[in-house]
Amino acid sequence: MTDPATPPFVLLVVAKAPVPGLAKTRLCPPATPPQAAEIAAAALLDTLDAVCAVPGAMPVVAMTGDLGAAARTAEISMALRRVTAIPQRGWDFGARLANAHADAAAVHAGLPSLQIGMDTPQVTPASLAAAAAPIRHGGRDSVLGPAADGGWWALGLAEPRHAQVLAGVPMSRDDTGVRTWRALTSCGLRPGKAALLSDVDTMADARAVAAACPDGRFARAVAAVGRRAAA
């Protein structure tokens, strides 16, 4: 029986295999490519721990990249056993996001969805549940979680079909958040706002986020860069 206090929803994580030389390259220097990949892997693992602990969540991970060449391959492969893993598809990032929503909805039909990435390892089960609450309980048709760099870290949709608007939004820009908000309102939605978070693009970002979640894998991976530099 479904608990009315925690109605089910899809919690979609869009992720990239943390392959050295391809993952988090803006952390280099001071990080080396293997260290940057370790940081990305740690971020993904901490995110999956939080996602899998959210009451009522149906975790889906849309993956791209060569997991066999990634940092922490075995640990990530084990973590993915706890979720439904699907491949990303599409010609650019906006299309891959839209398709990930559609493919997740095909697995869990009729449920609202909250989509995040792997760049906000400071998320907790409580913060994810709070971000999803407006679309789970009928208060909003959509939710956008702004990121400090002008993008966004979370998108909630009461009806995942509306994610198709993402295919026309340029991603990874300092106005991506504004453009996404406009795309949502242009198709008749009335989005609410989730909490503002910093995502991880630079080493300064990584250190700030690590300070917010000092007990996880991510903080330990970031601290390892400082130890190497000191040595």
Side-chain angles (χ1 to χ4, degrees):
M1 179 180 294
T2 300
D3 182 350
T6 56
F9 72 108
V10 173
L11 190 36
L12 172 63
V13 181
V14 177
K16 177 181 177 181
V19 177
L22 299 177
K24 290 295 166 196
T25 56
R26 290 176 63 189
L27 302 183
C28 307
T32 64
Q35 285 177 324
E38 284 286 329
I39 290 171
L44 176 56
L45 289 164
D46 283 354
T47 298
L48 292 179
D49 279 351
V51 163
C52 290
V54 179
M58 303 294 182
V60 177
V61 177
M63 283 289 301
T64 190
D66 183 2
L67 189 56
R72 302 198 187 192
T73 297
E75 195 175 352
I76 294 172
S77 296
M78 186 67 68
L80 291 175
R81 294 182 183 180
R82 297 182 289 165
V83 308
T84 300
I86 58 176
Q88 291 183 31
R89 57 185 181 88
W91 57 91
D92 62 14
F93 191 40
R96 292 200 304 273
L97 291 177
N99 290 335
H101 278 268
D103 294 343
V107 176
H108 297 293
L111 296 182
S113 64
L114 180 73
Q115 178 240 309
I116 64 171
M118 54 184 279
D119 288 342
T120 51
Q122 71 270 46
V123 294
T124 64
S127 67
L128 291 171
I135 59 166
R136 294 175 76 184
H137 300 288
R140 288 282 185 177
D141 53 29
S142 54
V143 172
L144 195 65
D149 64 0
W152 51 269
W153 69 272
L155 172 64
L157 294 168
E159 297 185 23
R161 63 184 175 86
H162 290 300
Q164 288 303 313
V165 301
L166 298 176
V169 177
M171 297 292 163
S172 302
R173 294 170 36 147
D174 59 9
D175 64 349
T176 292
V178 170
R179 286 173 176 267
T180 303
W181 187 276
R182 290 173 180 166
L184 294 171
T185 58
S186 71
C187 69
L189 299 180
R190 300 178 62 188
K193 281 190 177 180
L196 174 71
L197 289 185
S198 294
D199 55 14
V200 177
D201 292 317
T202 67
M203 186 55 70
D205 298 332
R207 288 173 176 145
V209 169
C213 54
D215 299 323
R217 301 177 190 85
F218 180 80
R220 292 192 293 273
V222 171
V225 175
R227 289 195 296 271
R228 180 183 178 93

